[in-house]
Amino acid sequence: MSGTKLLSVTIERFKSFESRTEIPLAPLTVILGCNNSGKSSIIQCLLLLKQTLAEPRSDIPIHLDGVVSAFNLRELTFGWPANGADVSGPTLGLRWESTIDMKRAADEARRPDRANLAKWTGISRFEDHEFWQAEMKPATSSIQIDTVDASGTTLISAIRLQSDLADDKTLFTLSFKEGSWTCLWRGRVPLDVDVELDHFVPYLKADLSWSGWGPRDKKRTWYNAYLILLSQPLEALKKLLSEFQYLGSTRHTPPSLYKASNVAPQEIGASGELAAQLLHRRGGEVVHYLPPLIQGSSGVSIPEALRERPLVDAVNDVLEALSIQTPLSVEEIREIGFRLLFGSASLLHVGRGLAYLLPLVELGLYSDPLRFLSLEEGDLTPARYSERCKSFAHIAIEEAEAHLHPKVQSLLAHWLVSLAMSNRRLIVETHSDHLVRRLRGLVARSGAGSALETWLLENVVILEVEQDSEGRSTVKHSKLTAVGGIAEHWPAGFMDESSEEESAIFYGGMAKRPTAEEAGPNAAVIHDEGGEPEVER
Amino acid sequence: MIALIDPAFFAARTDGPDRATAVQHDVGLILEFLKETQAQLVAVEDYWRPLWMELIRPIEHRYPEVRPWLTELRKRALQRHITPLTDVTRVWGFRLMFDCAALFSTSAWVDRMSRSVLRLASLNEPIVLIARPVVGRNIRRHQTGNIVIDEVTRWRLYVQPGTSRHVPVPCVARPRHVQLPWTARFDWRLPACEDAARYPFCPPPEWWKGATAAVQTRSGKPSFVDGLDNAWTRPNIPGGAGYHWDVFISKMQLLERIGDKHINVVAFGGPPDEGTPGSIHHRGQDQAKLNDQGWTCA
């Protein structure tokens, strides 16, 4: 189940997204758009599913009380439809890559007859010897969840499950009608299994001892297809969403003095409210991170190795790279609590930018999938680390640039790229011209065909969210180009203001400079009408 | 290496949405060239100011969507004042390139560009002009059926400041034109020895001289002629498509060695599944006797 990566989010009738929209996610996904364009809806879809999984009652299909909060499902539905008996709610979909432990899959399916499995499921690779030989099989799976508001009650009306190992066609359609679930194989043939839901994650269950299915029964092969292709990926998805980290655009006001927590928090908190406690409890434990990209006179380069440092030291190291020179420390106040100090000032009394930046840096460090493990020095090259690490952290950050100086905003691009290069998959929502400009600048400055250029071209996706006059949002996605452009679609309105000013300054300055003629005498030029002089080479 | 931009990139074209796309495309190519060759644009007063004020500014005003590309371009230029030369100087090729009524509304570009090059020549660094290929100016197009051969008619400018040596200024458009200078006169898609080609295009000795013919009509087809007297022509495919060259061998000795007078050779720059540049792309039906021996340019 290692190596789970979220590849895309699909939303339909969700907030300002009316039509079905699949949003691709890359190691570094940057979301741009005007205010109220619908940018946050993409992250909110993930937060909604995460907060649902965190709700102890597993019979609640979608939990509307958390970071994403709504009175009812209609509030999250496009057009905010009027109350009614059954109002179609949003459809939420995810596509993710994970690995399947083939031995475990075969055991769970009770080592099925492969030829029979291939025959009845129509999935020919089941017959392929090599398919079963792989110890861990990568698979891309997807889930689509249709919701409904039934007189104020949130329900799931249907779930569709797909796997690329079955050619991305819908394998199972689960429908909720008249108080019970039915399961259709390939959308057509009923399959008599029990459907149990852990919130929105379905489990198909069949008691093979009394189901009446013989070992070669076609229905048993369909059920086995679920056990082999989808059971483990769905577990991986739950883990991914549960561990999904989010840092919003506001920060709580830090106290002068913190009361020490008796347990270490697992997360940083949506407003960074747990950042101090995390530093206090875990500050001495090691994390691994690739320092921010290095910009020198000859261009920009990837640091040669990751660093392994205690969390507090790592925070200071990264802050310094982001041009913050004042050191952070945790000061114990015996039997009372602790203080976070920048230099000799508490967090409350330093510039607001630091209070915003600290959780962001800490989150990037703490989300190291190998945190608190001590690695050999040889495991700290980016390649070895990725090989060793195998899993990915998923992080969403809203307005990463809030309250930061333009220079720090630009340097954030270096840090975000370094994070994304070391097994953190980031979704960054931003209005920062500086940050996006630096991302473009990094590609432009990187050597032609260099590892950094290749990485940036392949792994950065720019999403632009636009909303039309009727309140419908759409997303356009682009990649960076080798010369620092944005390939498919230049974000409308984004950066226009500053580039217009730049142009005005450029042309204005040029108009005020003397022309070449005004600047002084010049040589007499004789144009030789012959094609070329007598030259050697 | 110092680069100048041909003002023709921003000169007369029909207005419309295609113009913005064309400018974006061209500036993209210029930026790519600068990045790959590490060439440095220098904002020499003589041409930089009129380039922006007269040609680019109206485009930027009319098509604001191209502004990001233009911003990137001007950021690449080094502001550097170079004292103008006062010696009498001779230049070659500037009239053909810049006194072109179809492109420019003024003939002032001839002097602007020649003076710019002259200033830069005092820096004693290699200079190139990133040139836009324009049929009727620096390109002569030969077409027979679907075969299209673009003959470059101006591949170098020359300046001679005072009594010092001549300074050649290659007119280039792609990084390959810098890596293999002869491709600036011939076609960048021709496979070269440097590509480890088994059947390379061998540039004629003194390929840079105007007296050396680059294009000839052989068997009714316009072709580039190499130093082994082989004729290289594009395949007769609509739209100039195809990832190979039709190569016709005329020297008896070479013909005997290769086994056939006509071979199909993989072009440089095609997708990898088309084959290694300079290898046999495909065999004709009657090419059983073809010996896959190749040749060298030495």
Side-chain angles (χ1 to χ4, degrees), chain A residues 102 131 185 416 486:
Chain A
M102 291 308 292
F131 177 80
W185 164 252
L416 296 175
I486 294 180

Side-chain angles (χ1 to χ4, degrees), chain A residues 149-224:
Chain A
D149 180 293
S151 306
T153 304
T154 299
L155 297 174
I156 291 176
S157 55
I159 298 172
R160 287 175 296 281
L161 299 170
Q162 296 181 338
S163 167
D164 71 327
L165 297 176
D167 306 321
D168 279 330
K169 289 183 180 141
T170 300
L171 287 180
F172 297 94
T173 306
L174 314 175
S175 307
F176 188 70
K177 278 183 191 154
E178 294 168 7
S180 66
W181 285 94
T182 55
C183 174
L184 297 180
W185 164 252
R186 299 260 191 209
R188 295 188 306 272
V189 193
L191 179 63
D192 320 319
V193 287
D194 291 333
V195 177
E196 287 179 13
L197 288 188
D198 180 6
H199 304 285
F200 53 86
V201 181
Y203 291 89
L204 306 189
K205 298 216 164 152
D207 187 341
L208 296 176
S209 58
W210 61 266
S211 64
W213 298 341
R216 289 173 176 273
D217 192 302
K218 62 183 175 190
K219 291 193 173 177
R220 179 157 178 177
T221 65
W222 300 341
Y223 178 61
N224 279 342

Side-chain angles (χ1 to χ4, degrees), chain B residues 193 197-202 228 230 254 257 293-298:
Chain B
C193 292
R198 187 177 277 269
Y199 300 91
F201 180 93
C202 300
L228 301 177
N230 298 322
L254 192 60
R257 178 180 150 81
Q293 299 220 7
W295 59 69
T296 59
C297 296

Side-chain angles (χ1 to χ4, degrees), chain B residues 79-117:
Chain B
Q79 299 294 330
R80 192 164 167 181
H81 177 74
I82 307 160
T83 313
L85 297 169
T86 49
D87 292 347
V88 175
T89 57
R90 295 172 78 86
V91 299
W92 288 261
F94 286 81
R95 281 202 196 287
L96 184 142
M97 287 295 276
F98 305 112
D99 188 6
C100 179
L103 290 171
F104 306 113
S105 58
T106 168
S107 58
W109 284 104
V110 179
D111 266 358
R112 289 168 179 171
M113 295 307 290
S114 49
R115 287 181 196 283
S116 299
V117 173

Side-chain angles (χ1 to χ4, degrees), chain A residues 437 440 443-448 453 482-487 490 496 499-500 502-503 506-508 510-517 521-537, chain B residues 28 31-32 35-36 45-46 48-49 52-53 56-57 60 67-69 71-72 74-76 79 84-92 94-95 110-111 114-115 118-119 154 156 158 166 207-211:
Chain A
R437 201 178 285 260
R440 293 167 46 213
V443 199
R445 287 185 186 99
S446 61
E453 185 196 71
V483 293
I486 294 180
W490 192 268
D496 282 3
S499 65
E500 252 181 68
E502 265 184 43
S503 278
F506 174 77
Y507 288 118
M510 195 167 260
K512 288 176 184 170
R513 282 214 302 265
T515 62
E517 292 77 20
N522 218 324
V525 176
I526 300 168
H527 290 275
D528 199 309
E529 297 307 323
E532 61 196 7
E534 276 301 314
V535 287
E536 285 306 303
R537 278 203 78 121
Chain B
L31 293 171
E32 223 166 280
K35 181 171 178 179
E36 280 198 35
E45 289 92 333
D46 304 83
W48 193 248
R49 177 189 163 114
W52 287 90
M53 298 300 278
I56 301 181
R57 192 180 194 179
E60 192 172 333
R67 182 173 293 134
W69 278 264
T71 306
E72 286 304 312
R74 58 180 172 243
K75 273 202 239 157
R76 294 288 191 284
Q79 299 294 330
L85 297 169
T86 49
D87 292 347
V88 175
T89 57
R90 295 172 78 86
V91 299
W92 288 261
F94 286 81
R95 281 202 196 287
V110 179
D111 266 358
S114 49
R115 287 181 196 283
L118 282 164
R119 274 188 209 253
R154 180 47 67 179
R156 275 182 180 181
Y158 292 92
H166 304 104
W207 61 263
W208 62 91
K209 286 192 172 177

